[in-house]
Amino acid sequence: MQKNLSVLSVNEVKTIRLDDANDAAVIIDQTLLPGEIRELRLRTPEDFYDAIRRLAVRGAPAIGIAAAYGIYLSVKRLETDSHDEFRRAFTAHYEYLNASRPTAVNLKWALDRMKKILDENAHRPIDEIKALLMKESVDIAREDEEMCEAIGRHSIPLLRPGMGVLTHCNAGRLATGGIGTATAGIYLAEREGYGLRVYCDETRPLLQGARLTAFELSASGIDTTLICDNMASYIMSEGLIDIVFAGCDRVAANGDAANKIGTLSVAVNARHYGIPFYICAPSSTIDSACPASNAIPIEERAASEVTSMWYEKPMAPENIKVRNPAFDVTPADLITGIITENGIVRAPYEENLSRSVKKK
Ligand code: MRU
């Protein structure tokens, strides 16, 4: 069921929430932004898989929250007294949802938190387990909101009034349960009247920077300028960028950080121009089990996203070979610091990151 909210500002509605009856997760369908703000209700495992897969809900933390709500709502509807049957269904939904998108580790992190609740409470009546799973999914969403605020507080000391900030993709409100990760410092600084100038890379091929970041920042009254991805180095050469804030889908144990395709070019350019490049990510994005970049799975998406998706007719020769990796990995040595809810982690990342990972 869909509900049109075109009269509401994007910043007045939550990116994802449980409805009042705890019967469905309500998301803003991000595939329709910025033209239309429409809510979508997700109930079944297929609803969640599809919404994550086609980026109706996207951004690493929001994907994690969706997965948690998804597994809770999927098992909530089961009518059984059999613990074996309950666990079998839980495991099947876990595996199904975990396969929806490969790169953002927050997906598995959230599902693992839900599984831990099941494992630790397996002896309880099934209704109690369902209630505990509901609570855990709501906690995951609430904690994400708090983590965004904390990332913002740690980002503020890096900013000065009037600075130019470059962002890539959308690591904002629309990607999280709160005020975003890469945007958190920007939102908090604006509350203090910093008058920042934010440049948003449009982020080919799915235009999250243009459709989402430029949309939510400008809707908040922030001085926002949209640029094509290939303009970033020129804008840097003009001296207009003082700092880069980017989000992240997975930080490996050595500090290599996967984020939306194009982030690596931004980091290389930032190094060339001596501009600090920060990754902003909650600790749920740190994957200590993943040693380095070559162990991070990179999602490859359909060729049509590159050749035809936004055009009236195809803008490439028929049958041309296309690559469409959705993410790239920025090596740790190009990263000035990784801002988590626990503070700014700097090199040597291997030892400093492990200290920062929240035990949950
Ligand atoms: O493919 P997307 O839109 O899910 O990619 C999102 C990003 O790359 C974000 O920067 C990342 O998930 C961090 S969101 C706080």
Side-chain angles (χ1 to χ4, degrees):
M1 197 208 311
Q2 295 182 339
K3 189 170 152 202
N4 199 336
L5 291 174
S6 53
V7 288
L8 283 181
S9 145
V10 69
N11 295 327
E12 289 173 57
V13 279
K14 268 211 161 300
T15 297
I16 179 162
R17 64 182 165 83
L18 263 190
D19 73 358
D20 292 342
N22 297 333
D23 259 347
V26 185
I27 62 165
I28 301 177
D29 184 345
Q30 298 193 31
T31 63
L32 303 175
L33 294 174
E36 191 180 343
I37 303 174
R38 192 192 294 174
E39 284 190 336
L40 203 57
R41 294 171 66 78
L42 313 177
R43 291 170 189 276
T44 66
E46 293 74 22
D47 290 346
F48 282 93
Y49 183 96
D50 177 64
I52 295 171
R53 184 76 214 145
R54 66 184 185 86
L55 274 56
V57 59
R58 40 126 328 264
I63 292 173
I65 297 167
Y69 286 152
I71 199 154
Y72 158 61
L73 289 168
S74 304
V75 294
K76 182 195 172 196
R77 291 152 8 114
L78 275 179
E79 286 179 19
T80 179
D81 291 331
S82 157
H83 279 76
D84 282 350
E85 194 184 324
F86 189 80
R87 178 173 286 277
R88 268 199 304 279
F90 185 100
T91 305
H93 297 320
Y94 175 109
E95 279 162 12
Y96 177 61
L97 291 171
N98 195 32
S100 55
R101 288 191 82 189
T103 304
V105 74
N106 308 60
L107 176 68
K108 181 171 183 304
W109 172 87
L111 289 170
D112 283 344
R113 270 185 63 166
M114 299 295 280
K115 182 171 176 301
K116 192 162 173 237
I117 295 296
L118 174 65
D119 290 345
E120 287 174 354
N121 297 282
H123 57 285
R124 294 182 191 272
I126 284 175
D127 277 352
E128 273 181 40
I129 298 176
K130 288 179 180 175
L132 289 166
L133 288 171
M134 195 265 282
K135 180 178 175 310
E136 187 71 358
S137 64
V138 171
D139 282 352
I140 286 172
R142 181 185 43 76
E143 287 169 25
D144 188 64
E145 186 170 0
E146 291 164 5
M147 288 194 278
C148 289
E149 289 282 334
I151 289 170
R153 285 195 298 277
H154 295 303
S155 306
I156 287 257
L158 303 171
L159 296 169
R160 299 282 173 274
M163 264 189 171
V165 184
L166 181 74
T167 69
H168 191 75
C169 192
N170 175 266
R173 285 182 193 278
L174 288 161
T176 65
I179 56 172
T181 60
T183 57
I186 297 170
Y187 281 121
L188 294 189
E190 280 312 291
R191 278 187 215 158
E192 306 295 319
Y194 273 48
L196 300 174
R197 297 169 287 105
V198 183
Y199 290 82
C200 303
D201 279 352
E202 72 171 344
T203 316
R204 284 273 292 154
L206 292 183
L207 309 184
Q208 291 94 328
R211 296 189 304 105
L212 309 176
T213 308
F215 181 48
E216 62 163 88
L217 292 180
S218 59
S220 296
I222 291 166
D223 178 345
T224 307
T225 304
L226 175 63
I227 57 172
C228 299
D229 302 340
N230 52 8
M231 296 170 190
S233 49
Y234 178 67
I235 304 291
M236 287 178 180
S237 78
E238 290 184 309
L240 292 172
I241 306 297
D242 299 294
I243 192 166
V244 178
F245 285 146
C248 185
D249 285 76
R250 190 183 299 237
V251 183
N254 72 344
D256 293 347
N259 191 48
K260 178 53 53 191
I261 192 76
T263 307
L264 175 57
S265 314
V266 175
V268 169
N269 284 323
R271 171 60 55 91
H272 180 78
Y273 288 104
I275 298 166
F277 175 94
Y278 285 92
I279 286 290
C280 308
S283 55
S284 51
T285 311
I286 299 168
D287 185 359
S288 350
C290 175
S293 64
N294 56 2
I296 301 179
I298 300 294
E299 178 182 6
E300 292 267 349
R301 294 185 63 90
S304 57
E305 291 180 352
V306 176
T307 57
S308 53
M309 184 154 175
W310 306 105
Y311 308 119
E312 277 179 14
K313 50 185 182 187
M315 282 294 147
E318 209 179 337
N319 300 326
I320 190 74
K321 277 199 290 181
V322 173
R323 281 287 312 276
N324 185 13
F327 298 91
D328 56 29
V329 185
T330 300
D333 68 327
L334 291 180
I335 300 172
T336 312
I338 299 174
I339 310 174
T340 77
E341 73 277 15
N342 300 321
I344 304 181
V345 183
R346 297 184 193 271
Y349 288 108
E350 195 94 52
E351 57 189 88
N352 292 342
L353 272 173
S354 60
R355 263 191 250 131
S356 166
V357 176
K358 203 165 136 201
K359 305 273 179 276
K360 176 89 195 185

